[in-house]
Amino acid sequence: APILCSGGAGPQGPSEAAVIAQHLTAAGVAPQRLIMDEASLDTRGNVAATARRVAHGGHPHVVAISDAYHLPRIRLLLRLSGIDCEAGPAGQGPPLGARLAMSLREAAAIVHNLASVLTTRRDRPS
């Protein structure tokens, strides 16, 4: 199956997608399976890129892989985009204190993303 590596570059260094691709190829994944999205700069952008790829490739199912604290929001946004998904393996992630802080950030981000999605749907012409 194809693998979408999604995430743009920050102020320094390679894109998140390039880092993901490097890890996958080092683990033996064939480079021709990798689809690069280096334009997305946030989770909503990653989900939009995934939705475009699903529509283009007709893939019926997506496995989302990220840190455990981030997966619920990713899965929610994918499902709101009409994409069937499940959580894949998550890395060990940061230490407990950072995980708790990121979990609180994710809770606020879920509320923000839901408000944004609902506003966009409301403002869309029928």
Side-chain angles (χ1 to χ4, degrees):
I3 300 171
L4 176 66
C5 302
S6 185
Q12 52 191 287
S15 70
E16 187 175 352
V19 172
I20 294 167
Q22 181 180 9
H23 284 287
L24 290 172
T25 55
V29 175
Q32 55 269 33
R33 289 181 57 198
L34 306 181
I35 301 163
M36 302 298 288
D37 162 40
E38 296 181 285
S40 299
L41 298 177
D42 59 21
T43 303
R44 287 201 59 207
N46 298 138
V47 168
T50 303
R52 285 190 301 274
R53 188 65 205 168
V54 166
H56 178 262
H59 305 290
H61 189 75
V62 170
V63 177
I65 300 174
S66 187
D67 290 311
Y69 64 80
H70 192 43
L71 282 168
R73 180 161 59 114
I74 294 169
R75 293 181 69 203
L76 174 66
L77 291 172
L78 285 168
R79 291 208 172 138
L80 287 171
S81 297
I83 299 169
D84 182 35
C85 65
E86 67 181 79
Q92 183 177 8
L96 179 60
R99 254 192 334 265
L100 290 173
M102 292 307 294
S103 295
L104 290 172
R105 181 196 176 282
E106 285 297 306
I110 286 172
V111 172
H112 177 267
N113 288 166
L114 280 174
S116 181
V117 167
L118 293 173
T119 300
T120 302
R121 285 184 179 176
R122 186 192 68 215
D123 294 342
R124 201 177 299 157
S126 301

